[in-house]
Amino acid sequence: MKMVLASQNEHKRVEISHILAQYGIELVLQSELGLHVDVEETGTTFEENSLLKARAVMKAAGLPAIADDSGLCVDAMNGAPGVFSARYGGPELNDVGRYRLLLENLRGQMDRRAKFVSVVTACFPNGDVISARGECPGTIAYAPQGENGFGYDPVFFVPAKRKTFAQLTEEEKNEISHRGNALKMFSQKLSAYLNQ
């Protein structure tokens, strides 16, 4: 089965493909189909934004579409940046700028608890929807560490692994990550859906 990823992010495509390949699913980016669907993320939750993106791309492509909405929720910041994680600090900031701003905003803060959240949603042309949420608890490091991953990975520290996400291998990260957890649950639901 071919599914379209409602994202331009090649990192996400690789991460999600890795997990969905076992179901014989070929995951393609919108751009590979000549589509560029830019969905305004007007939802106030990861669930709402994930559904908005999957539904819009499914309609444009005429194929099942999968979307992930994810972000970092920091306890000391009342759950921010949350659904605004990718837009934190404004459009002029890149990944490094965003995590530097986060570290600056947490300067002097002893409570460093945080979690990554991911909601994966698939929309099918017949109207069916499958959705799953995954989380990964951790803390915010005092300085970036590691070269792998993207986004806030260099500052997201996982106490159980004693490493940041950016210090983990792709396999280690997929085992414990929010997206990995969401995709495990999603793939169980998808398997049941495909076999009904």
Side-chain angles (χ1 to χ4, degrees):
M1 177 195 297
K2 184 179 281 193
M3 294 184 86
V4 188
L5 180 61
S7 173
Q8 309 298 334
N9 189 324
E10 178 62 15
H11 289 292
K12 273 189 188 178
R13 191 192 70 76
V14 170
E15 205 170 317
I16 295 172
S17 288
H18 195 70
I19 293 167
L20 294 184
Q22 63 190 307
Y23 298 99
I25 291 171
E26 179 195 355
L27 192 63
V28 297
L29 291 172
Q30 310 173 46
S31 55
E32 294 176 66
L33 300 176
L35 295 173
H36 182 76
V37 181
D38 197 13
V39 181
E40 196 176 342
E41 295 179 32
T42 55
T44 57
T45 65
F46 297 112
E47 283 81 2
E48 289 172 4
N49 284 335
S50 182
L51 179 61
L52 282 170
K53 291 187 278 190
R55 189 170 280 149
V57 170
M58 178 269 297
K59 285 181 179 171
L63 289 167
I66 185 169
D68 147 88
D69 196 55
S70 53
L72 179 66
C73 302
V74 180
D75 286 16
M77 295 168 56
N78 296 318
V83 293
F84 301 104
S85 293
R87 304 184 292 279
Y88 184 56
E92 63 282 352
L93 290 185
N94 61 9
D95 285 352
V96 175
R98 278 187 282 280
Y99 73 62
R100 283 187 178 152
L101 175 64
L102 178 72
L103 292 178
E104 183 60 37
N105 289 337
L106 286 174
R107 186 187 297 275
Q109 177 60 249
M110 297 309 290
D111 181 1
R112 312 290 285 193
R113 290 172 300 161
K115 66 182 176 185
F116 264 126
V117 176
S118 171
V119 175
V120 176
T121 303
C123 289
F124 296 86
N126 67 359
D128 290 344
V129 175
I130 300 172
S131 186
R133 179 185 177 104
E135 297 185 359
C136 180
T139 62
I140 302 301
Y142 287 91
Q145 299 168 54
E147 303 297 322
N148 301 328
F150 60 100
Y152 297 94
D153 288 0
V155 298
F156 187 75
F157 184 79
V158 183
K161 295 284 187 183
R162 297 165 68 156
K163 291 179 180 177
T164 67
F165 263 13
Q167 292 174 302
L168 298 174
T169 65
E170 191 177 324
E171 289 73 24
E172 287 174 319
K173 184 181 169 185
N174 284 342
E175 275 175 32
I176 62 162
S177 78
H178 53 305
R179 192 169 294 115
N181 290 333
L183 282 166
K184 281 174 204 145
M185 196 177 305
F186 174 83
S187 62
Q188 289 168 8
K189 291 183 176 184
L190 181 64
S191 177
Y193 174 79
L194 294 174
N195 292 315
Q196 67 186 4

